């Protein structure tokens, strides 16, 4: 049986982990990962061990959804204790580095007073030696710049942290990814492999092309028990939707949240891919609906609901290029998406504003992205204008219309926009929800709450559409599809939610101004 042709079941999922926490940009990029490990994950595990019942009850309280509580049953607290001990034992370099970052940032604040910075270098903590530069901006404010490619080559980037869990999609919401580590269990296949491991590409290539259990056993370096589990993840025939390709014209399919699949007979372009694996569910597109080859994947920014590693890793081998915005190179809050995704084994190209990337029969122009990042100096964010099938589509993600003149400038450069996709999650989480561990100076709750990760409200969305000259507008990226976002965004809406009221107001504005519009949910198709 090991040599019979086999395919991967359509409802297999993968969770990529670092030290058993679900991976994200800020938990893999070594500078930011060190800070999150030291100032978020380790204290959270310690707090759980002091009061497991508090964490468990809080995790399951709808009012506390998205809080930093470990949702692991108390009878498994010994495993959590072992995990914490292994982190403290094996990640000492990362923990020391995080402490050194905090010390160095404070030293620079106190001692970089506008004069020559050379005397500060000998005072830097030894753990930062050769990994940072101290520099002033033109306002005479000093800051540390982290030499990120160098840090990736140091002991701080350790592939021994990495593993993956394979399982079958159950349709039951998974624990919140930012707080609950994934422990081993009888329902998951635990593989201690680096994310770039070629065996993972072989595995997910079996959605399209046959492989054998024997070949996968060798490619993934499995023992007998693991091989037996993997056999249950395979099936006799591929499950692929006949409609996954386009014979003529062009179309856009909405896969949920910020995921758009744009297709012509010549090419396919996907934005912020995040795909459901529940192939038995109605009202959504799943992996079976993806085209066999994807020319470009466009990633708008590094938040965990737009760069989704469990989907991206399953697309290895069928993606030509992943397009990402260029980071600021060394800013603590702005790690490189390109360096991160390369470590996931993906082919990546970085773009600046107004850079153009061509694909068969069309092109993509990267355009500026305002707001949504709590006013932090983050450059790795981009909207995109996609030209295909004779139309131009604006992919706005969570960009905000706080300065409508920007979109007037985009239109002047790109030309009129036919279709605009806009994110209107306009009452987003506060700064500290994602960035707390990176803040080396205390911040008041009032200050953090004033700086949210929010997209456009109704007025701002209307201004964007007006300035772009769009004839059609679609609201997306709202975090409404619970089968995708519950364990990642922890969003909860009801009829009184401010965001939904703003969407309704925008829909009325579109009707009054002759703009075809819709509020997307689940699945939707636009054809021309």
């Amino acid at each position: 049986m090991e040599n019979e042709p086999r395919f991967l079941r359509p409802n297999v999922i993968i969770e990529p982990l670092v030290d058993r926490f679900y991976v994200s940009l800020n938990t893999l990029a070594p500078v930011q990962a060190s800070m999150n490990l030291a100032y978020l994950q380790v204290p959270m595990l310690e707090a759980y061990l002091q009061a497991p019942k508090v964490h468990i009850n809080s995790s399951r309280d709808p009012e506390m959804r998205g809080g930093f509580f470990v949702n692991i049953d108390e009878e498994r607290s010994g495993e959590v204790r072992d995990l914490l001990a292994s982190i403290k034992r094996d990640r000492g370099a990362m923990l020391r580095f995080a402490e050194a970052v905090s010390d160095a940032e404070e030293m620079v604040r106190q001692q970089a007073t506008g004069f020559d910075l050379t005397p500060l270098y000998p005072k830097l903590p030894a753990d930062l030696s050769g990994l940072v530069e101290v520099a002033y901006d033109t306002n005479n404010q000093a800051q540390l710049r982290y030499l990120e490619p160098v840090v990736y080559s140091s002991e701080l980037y350790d592939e021994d942290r990495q593993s993956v869990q394979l399982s079958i999609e159950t349709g039951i919401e998974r624990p919140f990814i930012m707080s609950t580590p994934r422990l081993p269990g009888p329902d998951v296949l635990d593989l201690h492999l680096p994310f770039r491991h070629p065996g993972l590409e072989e595995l997910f290539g079996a959605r399209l092309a046959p492989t054998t259990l024997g070949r996968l056993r060798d490619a993934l370096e499995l023992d007998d028990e693991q091989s037996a589990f993997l056999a249950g993840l395979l099936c006799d025939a591929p499950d692929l939707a006949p409609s996954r390709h386009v014979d003529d014209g062009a179309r856009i399919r909405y896969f949920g949240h910020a995921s758009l699949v744009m297709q012509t007979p010549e090419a396919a372009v996907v934005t912020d891919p995040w795909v459901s694996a529940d192939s038995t569910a109605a009202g959504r597109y799943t992996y079976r609906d993806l085209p066999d080859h994807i020319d470009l994947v466009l990633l708008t920014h590094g938040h965990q609901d737009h760069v989704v590693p469990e989907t991206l890793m399953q697309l290895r081998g069928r993606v030509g290029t992943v397009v990402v915005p260029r980071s600021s190179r060394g800013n603590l809050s702005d790690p490189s998406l390109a360096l991160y995704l390369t470590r996931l084994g993906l082919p990546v190209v970085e773009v600046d504003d107004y850079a153009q990337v061509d694909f068969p029969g069309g092109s993509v122009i990267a355009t500026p992205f305002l707001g949504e990042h709590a006013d932090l100096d983050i450059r790795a964010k981009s909207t995109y204008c996609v030209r295909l099938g004779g139309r131009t589509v604006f992919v706005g993600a969570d960009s905000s219309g706080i300065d409508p003149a920007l979109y007037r400038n985009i239109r002047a450069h790109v030309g009129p926009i036919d279709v605009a996709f806009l994110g209107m999650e306009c009452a987003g989480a506060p700064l500290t929800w994602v960035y707390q561990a990176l803040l080396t100076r205390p911040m008041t709750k009032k200050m953090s709450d004033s700086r949210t990760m929010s997209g456009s409200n109704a007025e701002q969305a209307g201004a964007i559409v007006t300035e772009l000259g769009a004839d059609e507008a679609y609201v997306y990226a709202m975090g409404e599809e619970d089968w995708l976002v519950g364990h990642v965004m922890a969003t909860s809406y009801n009829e009184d939610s401010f965001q939904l009221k703003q969407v309704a107001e925008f829909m009325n504005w579109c009707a009054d101004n002759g703009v075809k519009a819709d509020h997307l949910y689940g699945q939707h198709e636009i054809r021309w």
Side-chain angles (χ1 to χ4, degrees):
M1 293 181 64
E2 285 207 350
N3 297 316
E4 293 179 0
R6 306 291 281 164
F7 293 85
L8 189 66
R9 291 188 181 276
N11 56 347
V12 170
I13 61 173
I14 181 173
E15 288 202 317
L17 311 176
V18 281
D19 289 323
R20 296 219 163 269
F21 285 93
Y22 189 100
V23 73
S24 69
L25 175 59
N26 282 334
T27 61
L28 184 78
V31 175
Q32 294 73 18
S34 298
M35 301 293 282
N36 272 278
L37 195 64
Y39 299 122
L40 175 63
Q41 292 167 333
V42 164
M44 188 165 54
L45 295 178
E46 290 174 335
Y48 165 83
L49 290 171
Q50 290 174 1
K53 285 187 172 64
V54 171
H55 274 249
I56 295 163
N57 293 336
S58 298
S59 297
R60 297 168 188 179
D61 182 350
E63 296 297 319
M64 306 293 282
R65 201 165 191 234
F68 290 92
F69 303 104
V70 177
N71 188 9
I72 293 176
D73 290 336
E74 188 172 7
E75 55 263 30
R76 303 194 71 180
S77 61
E79 295 174 73
V80 177
R81 192 176 306 279
D82 291 343
L83 172 61
L84 177 61
S86 70
I87 290 173
K88 290 182 174 181
R89 180 187 68 240
D90 300 333
R91 310 297 173 230
M94 295 180 70
L95 299 175
R96 289 192 304 272
F97 183 82
E99 184 177 358
V101 167
S102 297
D103 292 344
E105 296 262 354
E106 180 60 24
M107 183 192 74
V108 168
R109 280 194 291 268
Q110 296 296 326
Q111 300 185 33
T113 57
F115 293 92
D116 176 25
L117 292 171
T118 304
L120 295 189
Y121 281 85
K123 299 180 181 180
L124 289 170
D127 289 291
L128 269 60
S129 180
L131 301 177
V132 298
E133 179 184 19
V134 191
Y136 290 114
D137 64 19
T138 54
N139 289 316
N140 214 27
Q141 299 295 311
Q143 64 178 0
L144 288 168
R145 184 174 75 86
Y146 299 87
L147 307 178
E148 198 173 0
V150 181
V151 183
Y152 265 102
S153 297
S154 75
E155 65 176 338
L156 296 169
Y157 182 73
D158 185 357
E159 288 188 336
D160 186 60
R161 301 182 69 213
Q162 300 173 16
S163 64
V164 299
Q165 283 190 345
L166 300 169
S167 61
I168 295 292
E169 173 63 73
T170 63
I172 300 171
E173 184 175 307
R174 292 177 253 164
F176 185 43
I177 63 167
M178 293 171 66
S179 63
T180 300
R182 274 46 175 161
L183 300 179
D187 298 326
V188 297
L189 176 57
D190 244 315
L191 300 179
H192 192 184
L193 299 174
F195 300 145
R196 60 177 177 80
H197 196 284
L200 296 173
E201 185 171 328
E202 172 82 15
L203 174 67
F204 290 107
R207 288 197 190 277
L208 302 175
T211 186
T212 66
L213 178 59
R215 194 157 70 196
L216 288 175
R217 178 190 178 112
D218 292 341
L220 294 168
E221 306 170 54
L222 304 181
D223 60 28
D224 290 344
E225 184 178 355
Q226 292 171 325
S227 183
F229 189 106
L230 179 62
L233 304 182
L234 306 178
C235 58
D236 295 331
D239 184 4
L240 301 171
S243 62
R244 68 190 186 279
H245 298 130
V246 175
D247 294 326
D248 56 67
R251 77 178 178 197
I252 302 172
R253 280 182 162 181
Y254 172 69
F255 271 59
H257 197 56
S259 298
L260 305 172
V261 177
M262 308 182 188
Q263 293 175 270
T264 67
E266 299 173 278
V269 176
V270 180
T271 71
D272 293 342
W274 191 1
V275 182
S276 170
D278 192 348
S279 56
T280 63
R284 71 185 79 165
Y285 295 119
T286 67
Y287 283 102
R288 64 190 302 275
D289 299 291
L290 284 175
D292 294 353
H293 178 73
I294 298 167
D295 295 84
L296 298 178
V297 165
L298 310 179
L299 298 180
T300 57
H301 61 296
H303 287 162
Q304 70 269 18
D305 56 316
H306 292 263
V307 177
V308 182
E310 69 177 77
T311 294
L312 290 168
M313 290 176 68
Q314 296 190 59
L315 301 183
R316 275 172 46 188
R318 64 199 288 184
V319 171
T321 304
V322 180
V323 179
V324 301
R326 190 181 304 278
S327 72
S328 56
R329 287 287 187 256
N331 185 330
L332 184 57
S333 63
D334 193 22
S336 166
L337 278 168
L339 290 172
Y340 169 52
L341 294 169
T342 299
R343 268 61 183 187
L344 298 185
L346 292 158
V348 182
V349 62
E350 287 182 305
V351 292
D352 292 308
D353 292 339
Y354 289 166
Q356 179 168 312
V357 179
D358 296 326
F359 61 88
S363 63
V364 173
I365 299 174
T367 46
F369 183 136
L370 284 183
E372 217 270 328
H373 286 72
D375 301 320
L376 289 170
D377 182 17
I378 292 176
R379 319 288 175 83
K381 53 183 182 178
S382 181
T383 58
Y384 297 97
C385 291
V386 183
R387 294 168 172 159
L388 82 166
R391 304 186 83 184
T392 301
V393 179
F394 176 71
V395 180
D398 300 327
S399 184
S400 172
I402 52 178
D403 186 357
L406 169 65
Y407 303 94
R408 192 180 315 150
N409 292 333
I410 290 174
R411 179 179 179 178
H413 183 82
V414 176
I417 302 297
D418 297 292
V419 182
F421 287 88
L422 306 173
M424 292 186 64
E425 216 297 27
C426 50
L431 178 151
T432 51
W433 193 62
V434 171
Y435 299 104
Q436 175 67 56
L438 305 182
L439 302 177
T440 60
R441 173 180 263 177
M443 173 177 289
T444 65
K445 183 178 186 301
K446 186 175 181 180
M447 187 181 293
S448 172
D449 289 348
S450 77
R451 294 167 56 181
T452 60
M453 290 173 279
S454 297
S456 293
N457 61 27
E459 181 181 0
Q460 293 166 345
I464 292 174
V465 171
T466 299
E467 297 296 349
L468 292 177
D471 299 318
E472 298 181 32
Y474 298 92
V475 175
Y476 79 142
M478 292 287 290
E480 293 182 271
E481 289 89 3
D482 56 354
W483 61 82
L484 286 179
V485 305
H487 65 296
V488 173
M489 293 179 67
T491 45
S492 298
Y493 292 118
N494 58 52
E495 60 184 12
D496 294 322
S497 295
F498 174 73
Q499 298 97 318
L500 299 187
K501 289 182 177 181
Q502 287 293 296
V503 171
E505 184 177 327
F506 175 61
M507 291 294 108
N508 290 334
W509 180 91
C510 289
D512 292 342
N513 288 272
V515 175
K516 181 181 178 182
D518 204 350
H519 173 193
L520 302 184
Y521 177 85
Q523 72 179 53
H524 190 91
E525 182 176 283
I526 304 164
R527 294 202 70 125
W528 66 94

